[in-house]
Amino acid sequence: MKKQFAVLETSFWVLGHRVDFLTYLFRFFDVYVPTAVREEVLAPDPRYPHRVYGYQEMFRLLEDQSAVAIRDPIQPLRQFHAGEAAAIALALEHAWWLLVNEQRALTFARQQGLKVVTVPEFIVYLYEAELLSARSTQMKLDAIAANTGQRVMRAARGAFRALTTERGER
């Protein structure tokens, strides 16, 4: 598969780090990040201002190595949080893929005709591409279920079940 240009939203990055699939992301996408998303990812936790989380450290490392490029839209949207608004607007301006996991942003982006990938969809794709085992895929889906909309999870689990059945892994 030819690499695609994609805009990253905060929820995708944080959950992707949690279930350890971000390294695969760069195999399939050239990743662009709006400043607002960068700020959300790197924002200190108000409860523990000196703590640095793994997803923050990984972002800094990849940014330093130019694996993620910072680019802002001409005009962010108004109806979402800053990171979502900037990510959707940038994807719309360039007709790039959008990597997002928030239900409202996902619905809006798809209504606008954007190609969108959610965390569970990407996990299932990695299984389909034979980069993840069935067990690893199931564990990753279970780990993100509490932070992902039920409709998105049902669709991803259905696709995963169909693939495992097709492969005789169920």
Side-chain angles (χ1 to χ4, degrees), residues 64-135:
D64 289 346
Q65 295 178 355
S66 300
V68 294
I70 305 300
R71 181 168 299 174
D72 290 314
I74 295 167
Q75 183 67 45
L77 302 174
R78 290 198 172 105
Q79 64 262 52
F80 297 99
H81 296 293
E84 293 169 339
I88 294 168
L90 184 61
L92 282 168
E93 287 174 11
H94 295 280
W96 290 344
W97 288 70
L98 178 66
L99 309 173
V100 65
N101 210 59
E102 298 296 334
Q103 186 66 52
R104 274 186 55 231
L106 166 67
T107 301
F108 177 83
R110 286 192 171 148
Q111 288 171 346
Q112 301 305 306
L114 282 176
K115 294 177 184 174
V116 183
V117 178
T118 65
V119 171
E121 290 168 339
F122 192 64
I123 291 169
V124 172
Y125 177 75
L126 292 174
Y127 172 74
E128 183 179 4
E130 300 182 353
L131 296 172
L132 295 180
S133 68
R135 184 170 189 260

Side-chain angles (χ1 to χ4, degrees), residues 6 10 17 35 41 54 57 62 77 79 89 91 100-102 110 116 123 130 136 140 145 161 167:
T10 309
H17 182 270
T35 301
V41 168
E57 199 61 27
L62 292 172
L77 302 174
Q79 64 262 52
V100 65
N101 210 59
E102 298 296 334
R110 286 192 171 148
V116 183
I123 291 169
E130 300 182 353
S136 176
K140 289 177 187 331
R161 273 192 304 279
R167 292 181 182 177

Side-chain angles (χ1 to χ4, degrees), residues 27-71:
R27 177 184 285 218
F28 302 102
F29 297 103
D30 288 321
V31 179
Y32 290 86
V33 179
T35 301
V37 170
R38 180 186 185 278
E39 289 171 356
E40 288 176 0
V41 168
L42 298 178
D45 184 333
R47 297 168 298 165
Y48 308 102
H50 298 292
R51 191 172 287 173
V52 177
Y53 294 99
Y55 65 86
Q56 294 171 317
E57 199 61 27
M58 185 175 183
F59 187 91
R60 281 190 184 98
L61 176 68
L62 292 172
E63 183 180 33
D64 289 346
Q65 295 178 355
S66 300
V68 294
I70 305 300
R71 181 168 299 174

